[in-house]
Amino acid sequence: MSNPMLDASLAKNLVPEDVADLAKTRQLREFLASYGATAFLLVRLDDPTGELESGLAALRTAQNSRGQAELNVLGFHTVVANARDLPMAVASDERVDAGVGELRRRLSQGRHFAITLDKREHDGSYMDRISIGRARNKDVVLRDRSVSKFHAWFERGAAGALLLADAGSKNGTSVNGDQTVPRELANVKAGDVVRFGSVEAVICTPDALWRAAQPR
């Protein structure tokens, strides 16, 4: 049975609005047609200054101003017809449901920004990496004092595995509470909680994000 208070909180706490609206108003197949195999970072917005959200919103606007074809650098934006074709998809329905439950719990506790792991068009360097940092030319911009200008990066490994490395940042990067070794790639997957300095985010698939946004 749907809990109206919880559902209202979920709707309010998932930004940007276009992602939330698409998840709430379209079928899963249509949502996947838009995002395909793109990995999402669901970034917790607990910055009282609003700088974190404004930086992510500006990045999102810049991404939306470009054509879809320009986002296919690493296969992060490959369109698929079936959720089970997703490289990051979880085979077990029970595990999928558990991951969705965790996303819903997070959204019920505070606002989160869903940002896709896309390669931006800038100087053309390190085209195999999705860079994370405070600097405005990074692929995912996190405007927070604890985040270094170039803090970390994602890249794809064999068979589409998602990898993460800290870039030698001042405050470090952790995965599920374990500090990563600077400049050493580590496997990450949907459901993992990543901290860049004090900024917390969870990795999720479009499938899980769509399911988490649905009323119960």
Side-chain angles (χ1 to χ4, degrees):
M1 183 175 178
S2 178
N3 182 331
M5 292 185 65
L6 176 60
D7 290 340
S9 177
L10 294 180
K12 180 181 69 174
N13 286 338
L14 177 60
V15 291
E17 290 184 3
D18 63 324
V19 174
D21 289 344
L22 189 63
K24 290 183 296 180
T25 61
R26 301 298 179 89
Q27 296 297 315
L28 175 58
R29 182 177 294 272
E30 294 176 283
F31 192 75
L32 293 183
S34 296
Y35 295 108
T38 310
F40 275 91
L41 270 186
L42 200 59
V43 181
R44 185 176 180 86
L45 298 174
D46 53 4
D47 171 24
T49 69
E51 281 292 301
L52 184 58
E53 181 173 0
S54 65
L56 288 166
L59 177 63
R60 175 71 182 170
T61 299
Q63 287 178 335
N64 286 346
S65 69
R66 304 197 309 273
Q68 292 277 15
E70 296 174 351
L71 297 177
N72 288 328
V73 178
L74 293 180
F76 278 77
H77 220 275
T78 303
V79 173
V80 294
N82 191 310
R84 298 200 181 280
D85 293 333
L86 292 170
M88 294 180 62
V90 185
S92 165
D93 287 339
E94 291 183 1
R95 290 183 62 189
V96 170
D97 291 342
V100 170
E102 175 61 17
L103 290 180
R104 291 181 68 89
R105 183 190 68 79
R106 286 178 170 272
L107 288 172
S108 71
Q109 293 180 343
R111 300 178 74 246
H112 287 71
F113 198 106
I115 187 76
T116 51
L117 289 175
D118 289 320
K119 185 69 183 177
R120 294 175 63 185
E121 279 192 309
H122 44 87
D123 60 7
S125 61
Y126 296 106
M127 295 301 289
D128 58 335
R129 298 178 178 180
I130 303 295
S131 58
I132 313 291
R134 196 178 71 250
R136 295 175 187 270
N137 68 337
K138 299 308 172 195
D139 299 311
V140 177
V141 179
L142 301 176
R143 294 184 190 167
D144 186 272
R145 284 185 175 183
S146 69
V147 177
S148 296
K149 291 181 179 179
F150 177 30
H151 196 100
W153 77 87
F154 287 95
E155 63 181 72
R156 286 291 188 187
L162 189 62
L163 307 173
L164 172 66
D166 181 81
S169 64
K170 179 179 179 180
N171 294 309
T173 302
S174 67
V175 179
N176 298 326
D178 296 326
Q179 201 76 3
T180 62
V181 178
R183 299 182 181 84
E184 184 174 305
L185 287 166
N187 282 286
V188 290
K189 61 186 183 305
D192 283 347
V193 178
V194 184
R195 292 185 71 92
F196 306 101
S198 63
V199 175
E200 183 176 285
V202 62
I203 301 169
C204 64
T205 64
D207 184 358
L209 186 61
W210 182 88
R211 295 178 190 277
Q214 303 312 301
R216 293 186 299 179

